[in-house]
Amino acid sequence: MGVIFIDEEVGVDAPQTPGTEAAPFKSLTEAYLLHGADNEYKVKKKGEDEYKDAAKSALKKAVSYADQQRKKKEAAAKRAEKDAQEQAAREAVLEEAKNIKISEDEALPAAVLIKLGETDPAVIGQLRKSDSTEGVVRVRIQGRVQRVAKQGGLIFVTLRRGLDLMQCLLSGTLSKTYDALTLQRETSMEIVGELWEVPAGHNAPLNRELKADYFRIISKAPGGDDAMTNRTPVDGDPQTLLNLRHLTLRHEKPAAIMYVRDAVEDAFHTAYKELNCKKVSPPALVQTQVEGGATLFQFDYYGQPAYLTQSSQLYLETCLPVLGDVYCIEKSFRAEKSLTRRHLSEYTHVEAELDFITFDDLLSHLEHIICRVIDLTMENPIAAKFIKEYNPEFVKPSRPFMRMRYSDAIDWLREKGIKNEDGNDHTFGDDIAEAAERKMTDEINRPIFLTHFPAEIKSFYMQRADDDKRVTESVDVLMPGVGEIVGGSMRTWDWDELMAAYKREGIDPTGYYWYTDQRKYGSTPHGGYGLGQERFLAWLMKLWTVREACLYPRFMGRCTP
């Protein structure tokens, strides 16, 4: 029997602590856990100078603590032993499974290769009923594993090809093979068998199940730490998910967003064609600016300065005399050093220019395009299903959209006590900041045409309003939850007014000759707009950030993968 010392102020709890007066423990519980009942314990509490016998109550707690730790250790040892036995059993099963070989039965009817979403009875034959004994057409399908579930001696595999899914059943010898027992998500494989109706009370894609009589692995995906779901968990770190975007895209929500994005873009094309707007493809490499120079990406172009385009507007205007109303869906680039959830450095810009119109015509056109695109998108049953799944509260906007002049918005913000970025009341001439704009839009909770902005805070090419020369015939379309998704205006079409605008902004018009010539050779009242497709999609699907609406988002600090 020895004496173990505990100094609550300077002691150290560690397995190698000797417990001497020169090297004491810090706590009685850890000292007792290591040295047990066959010792005497002396304790020096904080602020005391002498060691005293451990109190009975403290010893009792230490005994209880040691007993708990012993039980935990024993339980852990039993679990480890059980896990080791189970692992050994699994390894034995897997080792035995390696000896099981399968091959396609040549005596069976030849299988017809079909797609996972195929529903044509002429292609797939009639589904077998659960009580049917008649054979039908065998089918062969190919895809990647979306889910694997094991139940008794059965293995249920959901195969994916694009967005189409099919549930497959591996049973008998098939479910005992090494490939079946080690099947991982994203493995690509081929499965052959007969299609059966899913029994009543059970669910599967298209209410059917492939009962396999053969399968083969095309390319095996890794498991363990390298498994896709371990590298890119749905709720994983955002930066990791962006670094591994190529794998993140395979999750259900990103795939659904990309599908709806395609449907939306297709709807824009259809809506514009219905209005007889012609599609053009303006250049992305330019030597002029549309917006402020601070947001330009500059690069060397054969020894000359050039930029990635901020907007195709100026080029679209040159097409009006040639093709009439025109549009484009192209990439635009903004070098804004902003990391808000609605900003991107590269985004898809839906732009249009309309000839011989008034400002009211422009607003009516915007209202029509937005509503028509939504209608067309919702007519796609798969896109509509995804929108309702991820934005169950979505309701098509009703017409007419709310009209609000900039001056009225300033009054509204003042009445609500919403301050500008300097912490002061908004005044005429302020560039309404994103936060204030979104507060207003979310509270009003309906689409807003915010119009007639002061000329000083808008681009040089915007037409002044006849009823108030301080303001422009301009419009931002604001949507709840996102804010601005469209910016548009009537364009200055008088030569002298446009030249004055260049001078006011300090821009040399010489390099814009191809644009200013439009005001010499048959100028007309015209207008146009740009719509951010990612912001539109974020509103439609209630996405937290526009980054989710991109295949591979580009924003400040990210240009990979």
mmCIF file of all heavy atoms in Angstrom, residues 265-283:
data_model
loop_
_atom_site.group_PDB
_atom_site.id
_atom_site.type_symbol
_atom_site.label_atom_id
_atom_site.label_comp_id
_atom_site.label_asym_id
_atom_site.label_seq_id
_atom_site.Cartn_x
_atom_site.Cartn_y
_atom_site.Cartn_z
ATOM 1 N N GLU A 265 -34.233 27.415 -69.736
ATOM 2 C CA GLU A 265 -33.575 27.980 -70.912
ATOM 3 C C GLU A 265 -34.331 27.606 -72.182
ATOM 4 O O GLU A 265 -34.489 28.437 -73.092
ATOM 5 C CB GLU A 265 -32.127 27.501 -70.995
ATOM 6 C CG GLU A 265 -31.339 28.193 -72.083
ATOM 7 C CD GLU A 265 -29.836 28.089 -71.899
ATOM 8 O OE1 GLU A 265 -29.367 28.120 -70.748
ATOM 9 O OE2 GLU A 265 -29.125 27.989 -72.929
ATOM 10 N N ASP A 266 -34.809 26.392 -72.240
ATOM 11 C CA ASP A 266 -35.610 25.970 -73.389
ATOM 12 C C ASP A 266 -36.894 26.804 -73.480
ATOM 13 O O ASP A 266 -37.324 27.192 -74.571
ATOM 14 C CB ASP A 266 -35.958 24.487 -73.262
ATOM 15 C CG ASP A 266 -36.670 23.952 -74.488
ATOM 16 O OD1 ASP A 266 -36.078 24.005 -75.579
ATOM 17 O OD2 ASP A 266 -37.822 23.494 -74.355
ATOM 18 N N ALA A 267 -37.473 27.118 -72.310
ATOM 19 C CA ALA A 267 -38.691 27.940 -72.291
ATOM 20 C C ALA A 267 -38.418 29.348 -72.792
ATOM 21 O O ALA A 267 -39.254 29.934 -73.502
ATOM 22 C CB ALA A 267 -39.264 27.985 -70.871
ATOM 23 N N PHE A 268 -37.259 29.907 -72.452
ATOM 24 C CA PHE A 268 -36.913 31.235 -72.977
ATOM 25 C C PHE A 268 -36.837 31.208 -74.494
ATOM 26 O O PHE A 268 -37.384 32.092 -75.177
ATOM 27 C CB PHE A 268 -35.585 31.721 -72.383
ATOM 28 C CG PHE A 268 -35.732 32.475 -71.090
ATOM 29 C CD1 PHE A 268 -35.304 31.927 -69.897
ATOM 30 C CD2 PHE A 268 -36.309 33.745 -71.066
ATOM 31 C CE1 PHE A 268 -35.442 32.618 -68.694
ATOM 32 C CE2 PHE A 268 -36.455 34.441 -69.878
ATOM 33 C CZ PHE A 268 -36.017 33.885 -68.684
ATOM 34 N N HIS A 269 -36.166 30.198 -75.027
ATOM 35 C CA HIS A 269 -36.069 30.102 -76.488
ATOM 36 C C HIS A 269 -37.461 30.029 -77.121
ATOM 37 O O HIS A 269 -37.746 30.714 -78.111
ATOM 38 C CB HIS A 269 -35.250 28.879 -76.888
ATOM 39 C CG HIS A 269 -33.775 29.005 -76.643
ATOM 40 N ND1 HIS A 269 -33.012 29.994 -77.223
ATOM 41 C CD2 HIS A 269 -32.931 28.273 -75.883
ATOM 42 C CE1 HIS A 269 -31.751 29.867 -76.827
ATOM 43 N NE2 HIS A 269 -31.674 28.830 -76.013
ATOM 44 N N THR A 270 -38.321 29.195 -76.548
ATOM 45 C CA THR A 270 -39.679 29.047 -77.096
ATOM 46 C C THR A 270 -40.451 30.355 -77.010
ATOM 47 O O THR A 270 -41.108 30.773 -77.974
ATOM 48 C CB THR A 270 -40.433 27.943 -76.328
ATOM 49 O OG1 THR A 270 -39.741 26.702 -76.484
ATOM 50 C CG2 THR A 270 -41.859 27.804 -76.844
ATOM 51 N N ALA A 271 -40.380 31.016 -75.855
ATOM 52 C CA ALA A 271 -41.123 32.263 -75.660
ATOM 53 C C ALA A 271 -40.666 33.335 -76.636
ATOM 54 O O ALA A 271 -41.489 34.087 -77.195
ATOM 55 C CB ALA A 271 -40.961 32.747 -74.221
ATOM 56 N N TYR A 272 -39.360 33.428 -76.868
ATOM 57 C CA TYR A 272 -38.858 34.439 -77.812
ATOM 58 C C TYR A 272 -39.249 34.106 -79.244
ATOM 59 O O TYR A 272 -39.595 34.999 -80.035
ATOM 60 C CB TYR A 272 -37.337 34.559 -77.693
ATOM 61 C CG TYR A 272 -36.877 35.357 -76.499
ATOM 62 C CD1 TYR A 272 -36.002 34.815 -75.568
ATOM 63 C CD2 TYR A 272 -37.317 36.665 -76.304
ATOM 64 C CE1 TYR A 272 -35.579 35.548 -74.465
ATOM 65 C CE2 TYR A 272 -36.901 37.403 -75.203
ATOM 66 C CZ TYR A 272 -36.038 36.839 -74.287
ATOM 67 O OH TYR A 272 -35.632 37.579 -73.202
ATOM 68 N N LYS A 273 -39.211 32.826 -79.587
ATOM 69 C CA LYS A 273 -39.613 32.443 -80.945
ATOM 70 C C LYS A 273 -41.092 32.745 -81.180
ATOM 71 O O LYS A 273 -41.496 33.117 -82.287
ATOM 72 C CB LYS A 273 -39.319 30.958 -81.190
ATOM 73 C CG LYS A 273 -37.831 30.618 -81.223
ATOM 74 C CD LYS A 273 -37.072 31.451 -82.238
ATOM 75 C CE LYS A 273 -35.593 31.127 -82.245
ATOM 76 N NZ LYS A 273 -34.821 32.041 -83.131
ATOM 77 N N GLU A 274 -41.913 32.555 -80.146
ATOM 78 C CA GLU A 274 -43.328 32.895 -80.265
ATOM 79 C C GLU A 274 -43.527 34.371 -80.565
ATOM 80 O O GLU A 274 -44.507 34.759 -81.211
ATOM 81 C CB GLU A 274 -44.066 32.525 -78.972
ATOM 82 C CG GLU A 274 -44.186 31.024 -78.740
ATOM 83 C CD GLU A 274 -44.788 30.694 -77.369
ATOM 84 O OE1 GLU A 274 -44.918 31.618 -76.533
ATOM 85 O OE2 GLU A 274 -45.122 29.522 -77.136
ATOM 86 N N LEU A 275 -42.606 35.207 -80.103
ATOM 87 C CA LEU A 275 -42.677 36.655 -80.335
ATOM 88 C C LEU A 275 -41.881 37.073 -81.569
ATOM 89 O O LEU A 275 -41.718 38.268 -81.829
ATOM 90 C CB LEU A 275 -42.150 37.405 -79.104
ATOM 91 C CG LEU A 275 -42.948 37.242 -77.817
ATOM 92 C CD1 LEU A 275 -42.247 37.959 -76.668
ATOM 93 C CD2 LEU A 275 -44.365 37.771 -77.980
ATOM 94 N N ASN A 276 -41.387 36.077 -82.319
ATOM 95 C CA ASN A 276 -40.619 36.336 -83.539
ATOM 96 C C ASN A 276 -39.328 37.097 -83.257
ATOM 97 O O ASN A 276 -38.865 37.886 -84.085
ATOM 98 C CB ASN A 276 -41.452 37.086 -84.579
ATOM 99 C CG ASN A 276 -40.872 36.983 -85.975
ATOM 100 O OD1 ASN A 276 -40.223 35.979 -86.311
ATOM 101 N ND2 ASN A 276 -41.066 38.019 -86.780
ATOM 102 N N CYS A 277 -38.746 36.875 -82.070
ATOM 103 C CA CYS A 277 -37.427 37.447 -81.757
ATOM 104 C C CYS A 277 -36.353 36.518 -82.322
ATOM 105 O O CYS A 277 -36.438 35.298 -82.165
ATOM 106 C CB CYS A 277 -37.226 37.579 -80.255
ATOM 107 S SG CYS A 277 -38.201 38.876 -79.491
ATOM 108 N N LYS A 278 -35.355 37.105 -82.962
ATOM 109 C CA LYS A 278 -34.291 36.309 -83.566
ATOM 110 C C LYS A 278 -33.112 36.169 -82.593
ATOM 111 O O LYS A 278 -32.708 37.125 -81.951
ATOM 112 C CB LYS A 278 -33.805 36.971 -84.855
ATOM 113 C CG LYS A 278 -34.905 37.200 -85.883
ATOM 114 C CD LYS A 278 -35.556 35.895 -86.309
ATOM 115 C CE LYS A 278 -36.506 36.099 -87.482
ATOM 116 N NZ LYS A 278 -37.706 36.904 -87.104
ATOM 117 N N LYS A 279 -32.551 34.969 -82.551
ATOM 118 C CA LYS A 279 -31.413 34.712 -81.663
ATOM 119 C C LYS A 279 -30.114 35.072 -82.374
ATOM 120 O O LYS A 279 -29.893 34.700 -83.530
ATOM 121 C CB LYS A 279 -31.379 33.250 -81.243
ATOM 122 C CG LYS A 279 -30.233 32.923 -80.293
ATOM 123 C CD LYS A 279 -30.211 31.449 -79.950
ATOM 124 C CE LYS A 279 -29.078 31.130 -78.980
ATOM 125 N NZ LYS A 279 -27.738 31.429 -79.540
ATOM 126 N N VAL A 280 -29.241 35.785 -81.654
ATOM 127 C CA VAL A 280 -27.911 36.101 -82.178
ATOM 128 C C VAL A 280 -26.870 35.713 -81.126
ATOM 129 O O VAL A 280 -27.199 35.459 -79.970
ATOM 130 C CB VAL A 280 -27.775 37.601 -82.534
ATOM 131 C CG1 VAL A 280 -28.693 37.959 -83.690
ATOM 132 C CG2 VAL A 280 -28.085 38.475 -81.335
ATOM 133 N N SER A 281 -25.603 35.686 -81.558
ATOM 134 C CA SER A 281 -24.517 35.286 -80.647
ATOM 135 C C SER A 281 -23.418 36.349 -80.671
ATOM 136 O O SER A 281 -22.470 36.261 -81.453
ATOM 137 C CB SER A 281 -23.942 33.927 -81.069
ATOM 138 O OG SER A 281 -24.917 32.915 -80.948
ATOM 139 N N PRO A 282 -23.528 37.364 -79.816
ATOM 140 C CA PRO A 282 -22.529 38.442 -79.775
ATOM 141 C C PRO A 282 -21.192 37.942 -79.217
ATOM 142 O O PRO A 282 -21.118 36.898 -78.563
ATOM 143 C CB PRO A 282 -23.157 39.476 -78.828
ATOM 144 C CG PRO A 282 -24.613 39.131 -78.794
ATOM 145 C CD PRO A 282 -24.660 37.648 -78.933
ATOM 146 N N PRO A 283 -20.120 38.712 -79.453
ATOM 147 C CA PRO A 283 -18.792 38.296 -78.973
ATOM 148 C C PRO A 283 -18.648 38.429 -77.466
ATOM 149 O O PRO A 283 -19.262 39.292 -76.840
ATOM 150 C CB PRO A 283 -17.844 39.255 -79.705
ATOM 151 C CG PRO A 283 -18.672 40.471 -79.971
ATOM 152 C CD PRO A 283 -20.059 39.960 -80.238
#
